[in-house]
């Protein structure tokens, strides 16, 4: 029987780039069944809540979700839907690969970096967020557990091994954040001892930013805590041509959600300007996760060729075309 995928089109540019990804998956002969669900602003408007129970049930049942970006309304006591989803399904690993494509406006050529970001703890656990009554003092709790640190660093080393990579860089700030980042580094060091075949490097997060901009070719796999991973992965997206080129997989034991790294891009929504490559690359991550490497390669080479040719690409890549033209170019290739 066909595999069923939960699809959340999302907000802003979400529906248009998700539509592009599905057309391409279908053209490549992936033969999935899709079940559509709402979340975010779209769900709030249609169903009165940001994360309806029906959507949660569907994510749990199908286990695999392809998701567009979601707009979290600012203020009004709303907690981030993405953070909620990651916590609810214990999606502890956020895998964000960036790869150079010929034909983009990127300043570098030989980038191939995977950021492995811890996805449920640290500064994004949402715990202890208080502001004093007079508004003078704000507080938040950051929690790092041995179990969480061990799980994510093991994931990074296993990924490095599986993909024949040479080096894992542990990114931290243990010199200042001695308790939290300190524990993360200590546990990561212990895990690294089990992988003598892979080079381990330790780097402080601010220096990492500088080195990523100076010599990004030197990086391979990075593993880090939640906040640092969020920031570093956007930096990495900038190295390869912007957020339109950056996918991410949120992986847990019982569910996985594949999405773009970027948000709903309200500034370009509804204008047929979005680059769908981010979500197309996320669907490639999904295919690889499902063991469908041949389909993944097929789509990857079509996207690579269309971007390299450059005459049907979107504006962020230096082209003059829209989301639908670019998508059609990939479909024509397939
Ligand atoms: P954003 O990532 O939506 O946009 C940042 C900039 O990148 C904008 O100039 C946008 O036009 C551009 N951009 C993003 N994706 C692009 C694409 N595919 N093609 C071409 N250009 C692209 O970040 P912003 O504006 O800070 O956030 C907007 C909303 O998205 C917020 O409500 C935020 O909460 C939400 N968000 C959701 C995420 C998710 O669902 N995973 C992740 C990040 C933000
Ligand atoms: Mg982010």
């Amino acid at each position: 029987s066909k595999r069923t995928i939960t699809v959340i089109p999302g907000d802003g540019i979400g529906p248009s780039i998700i539509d592009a990804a599905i057309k391409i998956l279908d053209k490549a002969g992936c033969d999935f069944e899709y079940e559509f669900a709402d979340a975010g602003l779209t769900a709030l408007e249609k169903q009165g809540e940001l994360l309806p129970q029906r959507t949660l049930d569907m994510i749990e049942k199908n286990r695999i979700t392809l998701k567009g970006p979601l707009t979290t309304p600012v203020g009004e006591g709303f907690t981030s839907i993405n953070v909620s989803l990651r916590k609810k399904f214990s999606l502890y690993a956020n895998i964000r690969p960036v790869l150079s494509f010929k034909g983009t406006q990127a300043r570098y050529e030989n980038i191939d970096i995977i950021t492995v970001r811890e996805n449920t703890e640290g500064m994004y656990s949402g715990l202890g967020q208080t502001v004093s009554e007079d508004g003078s003092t704000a507080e938040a709790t950051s929690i790092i557990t041995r179990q969480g640190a061990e799980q994510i660093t093991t994931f990074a080393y296993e990924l490095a091994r599986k993909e024949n990579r040479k080096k894992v860089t542990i990114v931290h700030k243990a010199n200042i954040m001695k308790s939290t980042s300190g524990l993360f580094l200590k546990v990561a060091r212990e895990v690294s001892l089990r992988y003598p075949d892979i080079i381990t490097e330790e780097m402080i997060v601010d220096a990492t930013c500088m080195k990523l901009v100076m010599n990004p070719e030197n990086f391979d796999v990075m593993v880090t805590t939640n906040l640092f991973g969020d920031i570093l992965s956007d930096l990495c997206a900038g190295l390869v041509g912007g957020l339109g080129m950056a996918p991410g997989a949120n992986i847990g034991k019982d569910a996985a959600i594949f999405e773009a790294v970027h948000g709903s891009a309200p500034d370009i929504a509804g204008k047929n300007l979005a680059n769908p490559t981010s979500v197309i690359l996320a669907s490639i991550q999904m295919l690889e996760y499902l063991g469908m490497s041949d389909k993944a390669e097929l789509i990857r080479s079509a996207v690579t060729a269309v971007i390299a040719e450059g005459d049907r690409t979107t504006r962020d890549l230096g082209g003059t075309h829209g989301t639908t033209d670019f998508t059609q170019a990939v479909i024509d290739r397939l």
Side-chain angles (χ1 to χ4, degrees), residues 4-292:
T4 306
I5 310 273
T6 301
V7 178
I8 302 175
D11 300 314
I13 62 172
S16 67
I17 58 177
I18 287 284
D19 182 62
I22 288 179
K23 286 198 169 101
I24 288 165
L25 287 168
D26 287 346
K27 180 68 185 182
C30 293
D31 206 27
F32 294 130
E33 199 89 65
Y34 304 107
E35 270 182 7
F36 289 85
D38 289 321
L41 212 53
T42 311
L44 186 69
E45 282 161 10
K46 282 206 248 173
Q47 307 180 36
E49 47 184 338
L50 285 168
L51 203 47
Q53 188 59 42
R54 176 180 172 274
T55 301
L56 295 172
D57 292 344
M58 212 182 272
I59 293 170
E60 190 171 349
K61 173 171 68 85
N62 295 328
R63 288 164 171 260
I64 308 287
T65 299
L66 184 62
K67 174 187 153 300
L70 307 175
T71 300
T72 299
V74 181
E76 300 168 59
F78 293 111
T79 50
S80 161
I81 317 149
N82 290 307
V83 172
S84 305
L85 278 174
R86 289 163 188 170
K87 287 188 79 177
K88 189 141 200 108
F89 293 100
S90 303
L91 306 174
Y92 68 90
N94 192 331
I95 314 307
R96 298 182 157 186
V98 293
L99 183 68
S100 294
F101 281 74
K102 280 198 177 59
T104 67
Q105 308 273 80
R107 293 197 177 90
Y108 305 94
E109 272 170 13
N110 300 308
I111 314 296
D112 184 358
I113 305 171
I114 305 178
T115 303
V116 177
R117 163 188 174 190
E118 200 293 319
N119 217 16
T120 56
E121 302 192 332
M123 288 306 300
Y124 287 14
S125 51
L127 298 169
Q129 303 227 35
T130 56
V131 181
S132 65
E133 229 158 81
D134 65 358
S136 66
T137 312
E139 221 178 281
T141 306
S142 173
I143 293 181
I144 296 291
T145 66
R146 165 169 285 279
Q147 195 253 343
E150 182 162 0
Q151 190 165 241
I152 195 66
T153 45
T154 303
F155 193 103
Y157 279 95
E158 286 295 325
L159 180 76
R161 215 177 238 177
K162 198 177 90 203
E163 301 208 351
N164 287 315
R165 287 174 175 266
K166 298 198 166 46
K167 186 169 71 178
V168 171
T169 305
I170 303 163
V171 183
H172 66 92
K173 188 79 190 183
N175 51 325
I176 304 290
M177 297 157 69
K178 291 186 198 297
S179 61
T180 49
S181 210
L183 178 62
F184 184 82
L185 177 60
K186 180 172 188 283
V187 174
R189 278 178 183 161
E190 289 169 17
V191 169
S192 74
L193 298 177
R194 302 205 291 264
Y195 297 87
D197 50 321
I198 291 162
I199 299 166
T200 294
E201 182 177 61
E202 295 172 8
M203 211 177 275
I204 295 175
V205 63
D206 38 358
T208 308
C209 292
M210 184 269 292
K211 289 182 186 176
L212 274 168
V213 173
M214 301 272 297
N215 299 107
E217 318 76 27
N218 292 349
F219 288 83
D220 194 344
V221 175
M222 289 193 286
V223 64
T224 190
T225 44
N226 210 336
L227 171 65
F228 297 161
D230 190 12
I231 298 168
L232 289 173
S233 56
D234 270 29
L235 196 162
C236 287
L239 301 173
V240 298
L243 285 170
M245 300 300 294
N250 300 277
I251 296 180
K253 291 199 173 66
D254 304 315
I257 300 181
F258 299 85
E259 64 181 343
V261 163
H262 62 69
S264 52
D267 54 334
I268 57 166
K271 297 180 180 160
N272 196 29
L273 289 176
N275 179 2
T277 304
S278 50
V279 166
I280 298 168
L281 294 176
S283 73
I284 290 175
Q285 282 187 295
M286 177 180 84
L287 292 171
E288 279 162 355
Y289 181 83
L290 292 170
M292 299 169 70

